[in-house]
Amino acid sequence: MSQVLTKSPKHCAKKGLNIDHKHYKKLIYAFSTFFLSILTLIFLVWVILHPSKPHFSLKEVNINQLNISAPHNLVNSSIQLTLLSNNPNKKVGIYYENLQVYASYKGQQISVDTSLPPFYQEHEETNFLSADLVGNGMPVGPSLGYEVGRDKIAGKLVMSLKVSGRIRWKVGTWVSGQNRFDVNCVATVDFGSPVESSSLSTKQGTQCSTIV
């Protein structure tokens, strides 16, 4: 007499689950391998090209107004500036976004943040950036009026022009994520004669520091 073996529906279901689980593991492994390969390729491109941070320099600064009213210590300022931005990379382009510029004197902000339009910079390209900075009734520390008066007597005024924003690197068709950058330009402006003159300017090129 022959023996007939039968499998319960429960056993068949368990076997089917095992097959699905193995198939799922293979898909996960294939996806992980592909994703890791892409990351490795991006890393190798990044290491080989090693993009350098952009260079900024201060081309011109015109201080049309810088007055501090007493006794409320409110500053009114009007400043025009021109910056030079250079991409030193031979194979990497740069996207500039969320650009903000403001003026600082003795560590205190004397103009509101001014936005600059976003732009793309080709390899080894140089661009001019211009901004009109204004501060109307901005509160400052009580010592700032004294500092301005002392600089007028000395004949020189030292001011910081600051730029912040986001940059993205472009290599071929690949574009990186956003990276924050900060630029600090120091302008030394000579007071004209008489020292009470409210319009000051400098055209001496000043190299700026850039942090990415």
Side-chain angles (χ1 to χ4, degrees):
M1 180 182 291
S2 62
Q3 184 178 3
V4 178
L5 298 176
T6 60
K7 295 182 180 180
S8 66
K10 183 178 180 180
H11 178 78
C12 294
K14 185 176 181 181
K15 185 177 180 181
L17 286 175
N18 288 335
I19 294 174
D20 289 342
H21 183 67
K22 289 180 180 179
H23 183 65
Y24 179 73
K25 286 179 67 176
K26 287 181 180 180
L27 286 177
I28 292 295
Y29 178 77
F31 178 78
S32 300
T33 303
F34 174 76
F35 185 69
L36 185 61
S37 300
I38 294 296
L39 288 179
T40 303
L41 178 62
I42 292 173
F43 177 74
L44 288 174
V45 170
W46 182 265
V47 170
I48 293 170
L49 296 175
H50 192 62
S52 299
K53 61 186 178 183
H55 297 160
F56 286 83
S57 58
L58 193 58
K59 185 68 176 177
E60 185 175 357
V61 178
N62 294 302
I63 304 176
N64 300 316
Q65 183 184 19
L66 182 57
N67 298 320
I68 299 175
S69 60
H72 302 294
N73 299 312
L74 302 177
V75 65
N76 296 303
S77 63
S78 175
I79 303 164
Q80 294 176 314
L81 68 92
T82 301
L83 289 168
L84 216 57
S85 170
N86 172 257
N87 177 8
N89 298 287
K90 294 182 178 180
K91 297 181 179 180
V92 181
I94 304 176
Y95 286 100
Y96 294 85
E97 300 167 342
N98 304 326
L99 296 172
Q100 299 287 329
V101 188
Y102 70 91
S104 174
Y105 176 68
K106 302 296 182 182
Q108 300 190 57
Q109 187 168 338
I110 58 172
S111 76
V112 297
D113 292 344
T114 300
S115 297
L116 294 178
F119 67 98
Y120 174 71
Q121 195 170 49
E122 291 283 358
H123 321 144
E124 299 182 304
E125 185 180 10
T126 299
N127 299 92
F128 285 95
L129 307 176
S130 298
D132 293 323
L133 309 181
V134 177
N136 292 318
M138 294 186 64
V140 292
S143 64
L144 206 64
Y146 168 76
E147 296 288 352
V148 172
R150 190 171 67 171
D151 283 349
K152 283 185 177 182
I153 295 173
K156 289 184 181 295
L157 183 145
V158 179
M159 178 179 294
S160 294
L161 290 313
K162 298 180 180 290
V163 184
S164 64
R166 305 281 179 175
I167 59 174
R168 291 186 293 153
W169 312 104
K170 183 177 184 294
V171 182
T173 58
W174 176 77
V175 179
S176 74
Q178 288 187 336
N179 297 275
R180 180 181 172 84
F181 78 99
D182 295 281
V183 179
N184 182 35
C185 306
V186 179
T188 301
V189 184
D190 293 328
F191 277 92
S193 181
V195 294
E196 291 82 6
S197 173
S198 62
S199 181
L200 315 170
S201 66
T202 179
K203 293 186 178 180
Q204 296 179 350
T206 303
Q207 197 67 28
C208 309
S209 62
T210 305
I211 298 175
V212 178

